Amino acid sequence: MSFNKTALITGASRGLGAAVAKRLAEDGFNIAINCHSENSMKNGGDLVAEECRKFGVLAECFVADVSKYDQCESMIKSVKEKFGSIDCLVNNAGITKDGLLVRMSEEAFDAVTNVNYKGVFNMTKLVGLVMMRQKSGRIVNVSSVAGVNGNAGQFNYAASKAGIIGMTKTAAKELGIRGILVNAVAPGFIETDMTDALPDKLKDEVKRHISIKRFGKPEEVAGVVSFLCGQDASYISGQVIVIDGCLSM
Ligand code: NAP
């Protein structure tokens, strides 16, 4: 049952975001599901909301493109009006447009930067202001092992995910005094549409390097996010937790 706290998860119409939304609903949070568009709400977000409500909490979809500051601003206003507070923010929305650096178009670089990197700035700044007034809050940013180690063919993506780590550590230092804890998770290869799009040959090659010999499940990332949003993580801030089945060690 709800304990009257609200979690806002970006890009929660499917994949990791949907798994995080359901897990935090199970933990008792009211859930604000950010959907990129009306279509992603109809084709995924509405169902995620329905599944969250089965845990006895409130859940609703809010449409906004996280790369657009004004859309983030009006979404956050609507979430506040609907739920009263925003206690957890999970910056999950992300895209890939892979390619080797020398072949990468400016458009591919800008698109990934705008969603993955600027989106986290938009949301963290605006929700940070709400949490500062509340004098409490948790923010969990979804980075990637590509941001920790780099990854050939993902110059734009790795840069955005490394940038998220810098933003996590800086926000943790700036906002701690207001009772706000900021951490990141850095997943490896997790079974979602994003990795489904990879060629089978590449997937088999990657699995050879994962000591657990399989991709992770979205629920295995959601569990760590749940921990970081919960009482047991009350003295953890500025950290990056790698969730990759021992791929990158
Ligand atoms: P996914 O299945 O492709 O889902 C991405 C989600 O982000 C979708 O809900 C998508 O909405 C949403 N989104 C895209 N652009 C957006 C925008 N401008 N504004 C708001 N929402 C937007 O990807 P995923 O695998 O779940 O990835 C989730 C996060 O985990 C990403 O940040 C990704 O980089 C990170 N990650 C994933 C893996 C992995 O192996 N899967 C590993 C490391 C990190 P639509 O449905 O409208 O497209």
Side-chain angles (χ1 to χ4, degrees):
M1 283 296 282
S2 171
F3 53 103
N4 230 12
K5 286 193 172 188
T6 299
L8 165 58
I9 303 108
T10 67
S13 59
R14 58 195 169 97
L16 286 187
V20 168
K22 286 183 251 177
R23 176 57 198 263
L24 294 182
E26 193 178 348
D27 292 348
F29 287 94
N30 293 323
I31 303 294
I33 297 159
N34 160 241
C35 297
H36 183 194
S37 63
E38 294 288 339
N39 261 350
S40 46
M41 184 169 81
K42 281 194 204 108
N43 297 329
D46 283 340
L47 185 61
V48 176
E50 210 177 297
E51 288 176 354
C52 289
R53 283 185 215 111
K54 288 183 186 157
F55 294 103
V57 300
L58 303 174
E60 197 168 303
C61 294
F62 297 84
V63 174
D65 177 343
V66 294
S67 70
K68 305 278 192 296
Y69 190 86
D70 55 339
Q71 291 187 26
C72 292
E73 211 168 18
S74 46
M75 169 172 69
I76 289 158
K77 191 166 171 269
S78 305
V79 174
K80 274 270 295 163
E81 277 166 11
K82 174 78 192 177
F83 294 115
S85 66
I86 304 176
D87 304 281
C88 291
L89 165 67
V90 182
N91 280 311
N92 165 81
I95 59 168
T96 51
K97 283 191 186 291
D98 294 350
L100 293 170
L101 165 62
V102 290
R103 291 200 204 126
M104 187 168 286
S105 66
E106 187 183 358
E107 184 276 330
F109 185 84
D110 287 347
V112 168
T113 305
N114 282 334
V115 177
N116 297 12
Y117 183 59
K118 190 184 166 206
V120 175
F121 161 71
N122 291 341
M123 291 299 298
T124 306
K125 180 195 158 173
L126 292 163
V127 175
L129 284 165
V130 172
M131 290 177 170
M132 279 170 78
R133 277 182 226 114
Q134 293 170 182
K135 297 190 173 57
S136 70
R138 301 284 175 94
I139 300 174
V140 181
N141 295 324
V142 181
S143 176
S144 164
V145 287
V148 178
N149 301 320
N151 193 26
Q154 290 198 306
F155 186 87
N156 49 0
Y157 182 79
S160 70
K161 295 298 183 180
I164 286 176
I165 293 173
M167 289 195 277
T168 301
K169 292 179 186 235
T170 303
K173 287 187 174 182
E174 289 189 10
L175 302 177
I177 189 127
R178 302 297 186 109
I180 302 163
L181 308 181
V182 190
N183 291 290
V185 292
F189 286 77
I190 311 298
E191 286 170 0
T192 66
D193 295 343
M194 190 175 270
T195 48
D196 205 36
L198 298 171
D200 286 342
K201 209 173 150 204
L202 177 63
K203 285 192 229 173
D204 291 341
E205 177 61 18
V206 170
K207 277 181 200 160
R208 286 204 312 114
H209 295 282
I210 300 174
S211 82
I212 292 173
K213 299 295 171 210
R214 64 170 177 83
F215 283 8
K217 298 191 183 313
E219 293 73 23
E220 291 174 306
V221 176
V224 180
V225 175
S226 155
F227 164 70
L228 290 171
C229 292
Q231 196 44 43
D232 288 342
S234 55
Y235 203 56
I236 301 177
S237 196
Q239 301 305 306
V240 183
I241 302 186
V242 173
I243 312 165
D244 70 350
C246 199
L247 166 71
S248 57
M249 197 178 76

